[in-house]
């Protein structure tokens, strides 16, 4: 079993689209896939939850939202506002690791990698360390960071990658989201060159703007065209084009 943790520098960095794209590609190869959202916020406002977006884009029903807060706040802040502790890291890790008999489990974080998941101040990286310990094999967990193609992503992505490494983990893959279908501007081209150097991680894929509006067939087609191979043998790398040859 492979466990992939999808995170980023904050809300709007493209985590749910990336999670959906990874799931779609793995499903197309016959993989048994589960998507887990440990903590969701903002679900009481009539907003669509992240796992619902995954199901809409991929058709996957093996999706799990473990804990939610109605207010659209960081989970730890929402917990403190309610006067509760929120879910413990150990309880979230146990619930995730109890989902067995999958080839790939994709865990999508809430907000950025250092956003507090509960009132105790525990973060997604704390959860990742707990999961890695529970798996018993360091190469069974990959961290995938998402980065928007827009101006300002360089510093936040580099800082997030540093935080991941400070926790004892590594960034296996970097996925750029909201890539323009027309000619990219200079800032976006610079990000393409500079993100690997500043974050210390390779760009494994780019996902174009508008992915969230596609139907399932179109979404799979675009995911396979734009998302790079790798993820520790989960994908057959021969089926994917190289970065230079993508549309």
């Amino acid at each position: 079993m492979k466990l992939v943790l999808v995170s980023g520098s904050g809300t709007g960095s493209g985590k749910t689209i990336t999670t959906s794209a990874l799931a779609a590609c793995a499903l197309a190869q016959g993989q048994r896939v589960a998507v887990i959202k440990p903590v969701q916020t903002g679900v009481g406002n009539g907003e669509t939850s992240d796992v619902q977006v995954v199901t809409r884009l991929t058709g996957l029903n093996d999706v799990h939202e473990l804990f939610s807060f109605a207010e659209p706040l960081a989970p730890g802040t929402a917990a403190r506002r309610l006067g509760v502790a929120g879910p413990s890291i150990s309880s979230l890790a146990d619930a995730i690791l109890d989902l067995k008999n999958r080839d790939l489990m994709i865990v999508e974080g809430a907000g950025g990698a250092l956003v507090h998941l509960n009132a105790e101040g525990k973060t997604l990286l704390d959860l990742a360390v707990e999961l890695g310990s529970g798996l018993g094999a360091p190469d069974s967990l990959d961290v995938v960071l998402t980065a928007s193609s827009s101006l300002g992503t360089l510093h936040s992505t580099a800082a997030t990658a540093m935080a991941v490494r400070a926790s004892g983990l590594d960034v296996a893959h970097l996925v750029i989201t909201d890539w323009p279908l027309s000619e990219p501007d200079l800032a976006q081209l610079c990000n393409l060159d500079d993100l690997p150097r500043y974050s210390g991680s390779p760009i494994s894929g780019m996902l174009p703007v508008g992915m969230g509006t596609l139907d399932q067939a179109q979404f799979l087609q675009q995911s396979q065209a734009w998302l790079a191979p790798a993820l520790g043998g989960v994908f057959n790398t021969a089926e994917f084009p190289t970065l230079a040859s993508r549309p």
Side-chain angles (χ1 to χ4, degrees):
M1 181 185 73
K2 170 70 73 174
L3 195 152
V4 173
L5 186 80
V6 178
S7 187
S9 57
T11 301
S13 63
K15 297 186 300 295
T16 302
I17 294 298
T18 300
T19 294
S20 300
L22 295 174
C25 292
L27 286 169
Q29 290 198 342
Q31 303 287 329
R32 296 166 298 175
V33 184
V35 168
I36 305 102
K37 184 80 175 183
V39 185
Q40 171 80 62
T41 61
V43 293
N45 283 358
E47 298 286 337
T48 301
S49 70
D50 291 337
V51 292
Q52 288 175 316
V53 173
V54 172
T55 295
R56 176 175 60 82
L57 292 174
T58 68
L60 177 68
N61 291 312
D62 195 355
V63 296
H64 307 267
E65 182 184 285
L66 303 183
F67 205 92
S68 66
F69 293 100
E71 286 195 272
L73 302 169
T77 303
R80 289 191 291 271
R81 292 251 305 209
L82 291 174
V84 300
S88 69
I89 293 300
S90 59
S91 67
L92 292 174
D94 288 345
I96 293 169
L97 294 174
D98 279 345
L99 295 171
K100 300 175 182 177
N101 301 319
R102 276 80 166 181
D103 300 304
L104 175 65
M105 294 201 300
I106 308 173
V107 178
E108 182 191 336
L114 294 178
V115 166
H116 293 171
L117 295 184
N118 56 32
E120 297 176 353
K122 297 297 184 180
T123 69
L124 183 71
L125 295 183
D126 293 314
L127 175 59
V129 170
E130 187 88 4
L131 288 170
S133 176
L135 288 169
D139 60 351
S140 293
L141 187 148
D142 281 348
V143 176
V144 175
L145 287 187
T146 59
S148 171
S149 65
S150 61
L151 186 67
T153 195
L154 189 61
H155 175 270
S156 58
T157 302
T160 302
M162 289 176 62
V164 171
R165 294 191 177 91
S167 71
L169 302 169
D170 197 11
V171 179
H173 306 283
L174 188 64
V175 175
I176 298 180
T177 61
D178 287 333
W179 189 254
L181 290 171
S182 58
E183 191 70 24
D185 62 30
L186 180 59
Q188 290 165 327
L189 291 173
C190 288
N191 285 338
L192 197 61
D193 289 334
D194 293 339
L195 273 167
R197 181 162 56 92
Y198 277 76
S199 68
S201 302
I203 295 175
S204 294
M206 296 143 60
L207 294 173
V209 65
M211 288 281 288
T213 65
L214 303 178
D215 62 29
Q216 288 180 18
Q218 293 170 325
F219 185 82
L220 173 61
Q221 181 185 42
Q222 290 297 307
S223 296
Q224 289 179 319
W226 287 85
L227 193 63
L231 290 182
V234 171
F235 300 139
N236 178 354
T237 59
E239 295 186 10
F240 292 82
T242 63
L243 190 63
S245 67
R246 287 184 199 125

